[in-house]
Amino acid sequence: MRTPLCLLGGPGVRGRTAYGHDADRFAELGSVTKVFTGTVLTRLDRAGTVALDAPLEEYLDEVPRGTGITLRHLAEHTSGLPRLAPVPPGPPGDPYGTFDEQALRQSLRDLGRLRTGGLGEELYSNFGYAVLGHALTTATGLPYQRLVDDHVLRPLGLEAGTVTAVPPEDRRLVPRNLFGRPRLWTLTGPILPAGGLWSTCRTMADVLVGLLVDRRLGPPAPSWRRGGSVLWHNGATAGSSVVAAAHDDGRWLLLHRLGRPSRTDRLAHRILAATPPHGVG
């Protein structure tokens, strides 16, 4: 069975949708959500609402003093916090099903002893981004969606809600198992800032160009990963996988598939590597 695929890109990339994908239906972004959270953080830092290097306990009363963790550590995955929140296992196939507000608050109280890595050591953490998102909503008194609307979408000239955790049911591209049942994780609770947003491929491509190619909101957020001359981020959920990437010279691509993330990553790398340098060819 062919895997639904959507590819959009700049010059040199032959965009296409195939095997039932649709560039105007909402698809899961997984961890690409983190670039929205990081962009909100950097814009709030520039506005003076929060400070990148301020201790986390300045914004969250539950966090014990002296952990040394800052908002920057959370954004750069250098807080030492584990990849997943320390909660009981969720329902089969849903690693975030038991990570609710109560579990988050309990984790915050225990934050100092939950670290599995040293402060400053890179350790990818979805849990850390859940904490970061909670810090931003607490500091501003605004829900996460409002922060995304006000600090990412509207400044890029996009409508509020065009990237969201709750897309219209009839416009969602939902991965399904062999029996036709949806393959979806619970990503609308505290884990939302780490991986719960949905977007159409067309809208996400506009966000990617605005943030990485045109740099309309300033220097890219620390959420983006760097490999050589490429800034990128990927994401994967139970059944969706996505890569957003851009060369420093302006070449870019967005690739979304309903399939294994490793294959999506390899395909994106191959396409971007084969794209001629900007202005050549």
Side-chain angles (χ1 to χ4, degrees), residues 82-89 98-99 103 106-107 110-111 114 127:
R83 185 180 187 92
L84 299 179
V87 295
T98 58
F99 187 43
Q106 180 59 51
S107 298
D110 297 335
L111 207 63
L114 291 178
F127 174 44

Side-chain angles (χ1 to χ4, degrees), residues 46-274:
R46 290 179 203 135
T49 307
V50 302
L52 271 165
D53 295 309
L56 183 57
E57 59 263 32
E58 286 194 12
Y59 306 106
L60 298 175
D61 292 339
E62 301 97 329
V63 174
R65 294 189 174 277
T67 66
I69 298 173
T70 66
L71 302 184
R72 186 189 300 274
H73 285 132
L74 296 171
E76 295 180 346
H77 299 285
T78 54
S79 67
L81 294 177
R83 185 180 187 92
L84 299 179
V87 295
D94 187 357
Y96 305 104
T98 58
F99 187 43
D100 56 16
E101 291 291 338
Q102 181 178 351
L104 172 63
R105 293 186 182 278
Q106 180 59 51
S107 298
L108 293 175
R109 289 190 284 269
D110 297 335
L111 207 63
R113 65 178 184 82
L114 291 178
R115 289 201 304 231
T116 56
L119 197 63
E121 174 187 350
E122 186 168 344
L123 182 66
Y124 192 89
S125 179
N126 291 317
F127 174 44
Y129 261 80
V131 175
L132 175 58
H134 184 57
L136 298 179
T137 57
T138 301
T140 59
L142 297 173
Y144 182 73
Q145 181 68 57
R146 175 72 179 275
L147 293 177
V148 171
D149 290 342
D150 289 354
H151 294 283
V152 186
L153 298 178
R154 286 194 181 101
L156 291 177
L158 300 169
E159 291 186 12
T162 50
V163 179
T164 176
V166 285
E169 291 281 343
D170 62 349
R171 292 191 59 200
R172 298 192 307 167
L173 186 69
V174 178
R176 299 181 182 276
N177 63 19
L178 292 175
F179 301 101
R181 300 189 185 98
R183 296 179 60 202
L184 298 171
W185 289 338
T186 302
L187 295 170
T188 52
I191 200 65
L192 165 58
L197 289 177
W198 296 59
S199 170
T200 69
C201 287
R202 212 176 298 281
T203 295
M204 187 59 221
D206 289 341
V207 171
L208 170 62
V209 172
L211 294 181
L212 294 189
V213 180
D214 297 337
R215 306 281 175 102
R216 292 176 59 189
L217 303 189
S223 312
W224 292 99
R225 321 291 281 169
R226 178 167 285 280
S229 64
V230 178
L231 282 172
W232 62 276
H233 211 297
N234 60 357
T237 62
S240 288
S241 52
V242 59
V243 174
H247 267 285
D248 290 339
D249 67 7
R251 288 174 286 165
W252 65 272
L253 69 77
L254 176 78
L255 175 63
H256 184 277
R257 295 173 69 251
L258 295 188
R260 294 179 182 177
S262 59
R263 293 185 179 180
T264 304
D265 291 349
R266 288 196 299 269
L267 179 58
H269 181 271
R270 190 165 67 244
I271 294 170
L272 200 58

Side-chain angles (χ1 to χ4, degrees), residues 27-43:
E28 293 178 292
L29 296 180
S31 282
V32 173
T33 299
K34 292 180 175 68
V35 304
F36 290 86
T37 304
T39 302
V40 170
L41 168 62
T42 57
R43 286 177 59 80

